[in-house]
Amino acid sequence: MIDDFFGAIRIGLVKQAALGFFDSGVGGLTVVRAVQDLLPHEDVIYLGDTARLPYGSKSPETIRQFADEDVNFLLSKGVKAIVVACNTATAHALPSLQQKYEIPIMGVILPGVEAALADPTAERIGIIATRGTIGSHVYQHALATRRTGLMIHGIAAPLLVPLIEENWISEEVTQQVLLKYLQPLIDKGIDTLMLACTHYPLLVPVLKEVLPSDVRLVDSATTCAEHLKIMLEKIDLLSDQEEDGKLSIYLTDLSEQFEELARRFLKRSTGKIHRAVVG
Ligand code: DGL
């Protein structure tokens, strides 16, 4: 499955360069956290396109344009590889980005699918994601082509990203919204729920309250970090520095609550946050 993540590889990329990540907002930091845990010596440059969030309700053409501009910003910072840490952008833009740029670019969807299918007994799979991701059918297709006989049910949950970006994670309204979205999946007796938006891992405590206890929650962050490591090893681009990697965060709009929210995602300090001009 790994080879699906490679774009063309440019000769001359250097081990010491940073890894680039982008998302519409804070969500992709869940992937950064998993990568920092597994690859602590890698420098990371993170771009959150907060000025144009949410991506999930935009058209595929607009997502492709935004993703292209995000990649260009990261390339201007000299990154050696890019992770599209956004399911919506992965669904609509990953193939065109991989075709266009001579740098390794990977997304989060196939790692998520691999994580879901790691349990051989998984049969009834629910997916929650943005409208854009559900409408693309990329998850549904990737699951169905890898295991026959699955019951797959996808639900678009457009209210969740604004609630998370507002830091309303523990509010009662968030629990009510989740229950409203998830009731049809609970009624169908799902055994696995895929958190197919990089923002959603922050909702795990609330999800555990709302869902039957035997439903397995799956997200792509850990598997994505493992695939990134394998990819970097394969092309000899793992950092060889001995000190801990540095994290630089760039946002296209600086909101007051970002720093606190980012700390919740990363479970560590964010360092200085910079303003980015993209596009
Ligand atoms: N975190 C993003 C995702 O994984 C998108 C959220 C949004 O901007 O709608 O899909």
Side-chain angles (χ1 to χ4, degrees):
M1 223 193 247
I2 298 275
D3 281 343
D4 295 350
F5 303 124
F6 286 90
I9 313 283
R10 187 173 59 200
I11 308 295
L13 296 167
V14 290
K15 293 177 181 208
Q16 294 83 356
L19 297 168
F21 292 73
F22 75 88
D23 181 38
S24 57
V26 277
L29 290 175
T30 53
V31 183
V32 169
R33 189 173 87 202
V35 170
Q36 287 182 318
D37 287 346
L38 192 67
L39 301 169
H41 303 294
E42 296 291 337
D43 288 342
V44 168
I45 295 181
Y46 182 85
L47 172 65
D49 192 8
T50 42
R52 304 190 289 194
L53 173 134
Y55 279 13
S57 51
K58 308 284 190 308
S59 69
E61 295 72 32
T62 301
I63 299 300
R64 278 192 282 276
Q65 180 205 322
F66 288 177
D68 192 60
E69 291 167 357
D70 295 342
V71 165
N72 269 300
F73 175 83
L74 292 170
L75 290 178
S76 76
K77 299 284 169 205
V79 298
K80 63 184 173 188
I82 291 177
V83 177
V84 183
C86 169
N87 288 269
T88 315
T90 301
H92 290 298
L94 184 64
S96 57
L97 295 174
Q98 287 179 329
Q99 215 170 17
K100 181 167 174 186
Y101 293 101
E102 292 183 337
I103 184 168
I105 303 183
M106 60 177 283
V108 282
I109 292 186
L110 290 183
V113 166
E114 189 176 306
L117 297 181
D119 180 347
T121 66
E123 261 177 5
R124 308 173 77 79
I125 300 188
I127 307 165
I128 47 167
T130 65
R131 271 213 180 93
T133 301
I134 294 296
S136 75
H137 295 283
V138 174
Y139 267 101
Q140 296 90 320
H141 181 75
L143 285 164
T145 52
R146 283 167 176 79
R147 185 173 299 170
T148 50
L150 290 174
M151 183 217 80
I152 304 165
H153 199 77
I155 295 272
L159 293 178
L160 296 182
V161 167
L163 286 168
I164 296 165
E165 290 276 340
E166 211 36 61
N167 208 359
W168 277 26
I169 290 152
S170 317
E171 302 287 323
E172 206 180 318
V173 65
T174 305
Q175 185 164 349
Q176 287 163 352
V177 168
L178 267 177
L179 191 58
K180 174 95 179 153
Y181 281 136
L182 294 176
Q183 195 58 55
L185 299 180
I186 297 170
D187 293 343
K188 286 189 187 309
I190 54 163
D191 52 48
T192 305
L193 178 66
M194 299 188 69
L195 310 183
C197 170
T198 52
H199 281 72
Y200 298 170
L202 267 201
L203 294 173
V204 166
V206 199
L207 282 163
K208 285 189 172 154
E209 280 172 34
V210 166
L211 289 167
S213 57
D214 55 352
V215 174
R216 190 169 65 105
L217 297 176
V218 173
D219 70 72
S220 47
T222 307
T223 318
C224 185
E226 287 163 2
H227 284 191
L228 180 62
K229 182 168 183 241
I230 294 169
M231 178 180 83
L232 293 171
E233 274 166 355
K234 201 164 167 179
I235 54 180
D236 199 24
L237 275 186
L238 269 182
S239 167
D240 50 11
Q241 69 176 344
E242 280 173 16
E243 59 270 30
D244 281 350
K246 290 179 290 298
L247 169 66
S248 308
I249 297 183
Y250 289 84
L251 300 178
T252 52
D253 187 51
L254 298 175
S255 70
E256 271 174 25
Q257 75 271 25
F258 182 87
E259 208 170 315
E260 196 207 320
L261 200 53
R263 265 199 304 273
R264 285 181 87 158
F265 272 82
L266 283 170
K267 301 221 165 95
R268 48 176 77 91
S269 131
T270 58
K272 187 167 160 34
I273 298 174
H274 312 268
R275 172 91 204 282
V277 179
V278 165

